[in-house]
Amino acid sequence: MVLASLQELYPPPAQGDQGPTFSTSFMATGGDKNQSQALYLLGGKALWTKELEVALREGEVDMLIHCLKDVPTTLPEGCSIAGTLKREDPVDSLVVKSGKPWKSLEDLPEGSVVGTSSVRRVAQLKRNFPSLKFLDVRGNLNTRLAKLDAPDGPYAALVLAKAGLVRLGMGDRITADLEPPVLYYAVSQGALAIEIRNDDAEALALCRKLTHWETEWMCLAERACLRALEGGCSVPIGVQSKLDVEAGEKKAGKLTLTGCVTALAGDVHVEHVIEARVTSAEEAEELGSTLARKLSDRGAKKILDDINVDRERRVVEAEKADKASA
């Protein structure tokens, strides 16, 4: 998608002509390689970006294309997000086992197993659907769907990001969208971003031409909230954002931002909505930081502190189990 957009802006130059050319390369990250452990126990978002950023800083590549929801809110020195493409629909979707008649979470029989690798989804859905069970599921999209459809598999349904299904041509598998307030989505879900070296002026100029500023402002606000709450990818923080753009040449609009933090058991939930007129990316970020403070004041910090204690305990238990089985 990014490559096609760049080539549309800069078609391959004729022989002898000057102009930028583009090629792609692919690399597996730690998050791709470790498909056995639950994401909750593996750590923060750098799991998906660390190896890529080494290649960027060493000049092996000039741009990194990320799902922005997987990118840490604090980047390594010398790196920055320079471009944000127009966001796909950020909601999560329900995908039921092939051949089953269920059309919604409400239709699933009591005790049905729903697969997801996200503690955010589990925490919120436990709150709204206490009769369902939730089980971790890892692997790429094809692998997850194969696990779902296996006749002897445990899953009645999966919850997946709608954007990923649509981008990979699997939108026909979507049974129903799970929109807020049923399920608030992950920070920056549905958006692709481009990371570059800070000193690469040419790459920066290219990225700015691809940037959808409305998406950028909404994602900056969401990421500022996440950064202030100090939450990685495996914490139950959900968001929803909307930017009502004002008519005229100047960039401005009313930004409405909702954030929530939910305890892992689904029994404690903190939610707050904030809105303001914003006229710059910096003002959008400040709104996100303000939302984080409001959430913390209402109990979100205690929820996240308890989750960190629980994670540390479970990591120690997992390490002991590994040593015992070695």
Side-chain angles (χ1 to χ4, degrees), residues 30-303:
D32 299 313
K33 295 171 186 175
N34 188 333
Q35 295 292 329
S36 58
Q37 282 184 284
L39 290 177
Y40 177 60
L41 301 180
L42 287 178
K45 293 173 180 282
L47 186 70
W48 306 103
T49 59
K50 185 176 180 180
E51 293 95 337
L52 302 176
E53 287 165 340
V54 170
L56 178 66
R57 285 184 289 175
E58 292 182 353
E60 297 177 22
V61 297
D62 299 307
M63 297 178 178
L64 300 177
I65 313 304
H66 300 293
C67 291
L68 188 52
K69 74 179 181 67
D70 295 328
V71 179
T73 55
T74 301
L75 298 179
E77 185 176 355
C79 299
S80 61
I81 298 297
T84 308
L85 276 66
K86 186 175 181 179
R87 193 178 207 170
E88 298 280 355
D89 190 340
V91 301
D92 291 305
S93 294
L94 178 71
V95 178
V96 303
K97 186 187 287 285
S98 180
K100 295 297 182 181
W102 310 308
K103 300 299 182 184
S104 67
L105 285 169
E106 289 85 355
D107 289 346
L108 296 179
E110 184 174 349
S112 293
V113 176
V114 177
T116 176
S117 57
S118 163
V119 295
R120 169 188 56 84
R121 294 174 183 143
V122 172
Q124 291 186 57
L125 293 176
K126 276 185 177 180
R127 175 173 174 260
N128 294 312
F129 301 93
S131 67
L132 299 179
K133 297 181 180 179
F134 299 91
L135 183 64
D136 193 66
V137 58
R138 297 290 310 280
N140 62 34
L141 194 52
N142 285 321
T143 299
R144 295 185 195 194
L145 291 175
K147 291 178 179 179
L148 168 65
D149 293 335
D152 58 348
Y155 305 103
L158 302 181
V159 178
L160 301 164
K162 181 176 183 177
L165 287 161
V166 171
R167 286 194 188 111
L168 294 177
M170 300 180 187
D172 61 314
R173 286 302 309 263
I174 295 173
T175 303
D177 290 338
L178 303 176
E179 299 179 345
V182 173
L183 183 56
Y184 287 95
Y185 45 82
V187 165
S188 301
Q189 186 162 301
L192 294 178
I194 309 170
E195 184 178 358
I196 66 169
R197 295 180 296 275
N198 288 343
D199 60 359
D200 192 338
E202 183 179 13
L204 175 61
L206 292 172
C207 290
R208 296 318 298 167
K209 291 185 178 181
L210 297 182
T211 292
H212 184 253
W213 70 268
E214 297 95 324
T215 296
E216 182 178 55
W217 286 19
M218 286 187 285
C219 288
L220 283 169
E222 295 170 15
R223 283 168 61 80
C225 179
L226 182 63
R227 185 186 304 115
L229 289 171
E230 299 180 344
C233 63
S234 293
V235 290
I237 297 173
V239 295
Q240 181 184 31
S241 59
K242 180 183 179 183
L243 180 62
D244 294 314
V245 178
E246 296 177 1
E249 296 182 2
K250 292 185 177 181
K251 297 177 181 178
K254 184 178 76 172
L255 178 56
T256 304
L257 187 61
T258 304
C260 70
V261 179
T262 312
L264 295 180
D267 55 340
V268 183
H269 178 83
V270 177
E271 183 176 322
H272 189 69
V273 184
I274 191 170
E275 65 179 32
R277 181 177 185 269
V278 293
T279 60
S280 67
E282 292 76 18
E283 289 181 359
E285 285 192 289
E286 180 54 37
L287 189 67
S289 298
T290 301
L291 176 61
R293 291 192 292 272
K294 297 289 188 182
L295 289 169
S296 292
D297 292 343
R298 285 162 171 76
K301 186 178 186 305
K302 184 181 186 308
I303 294 174

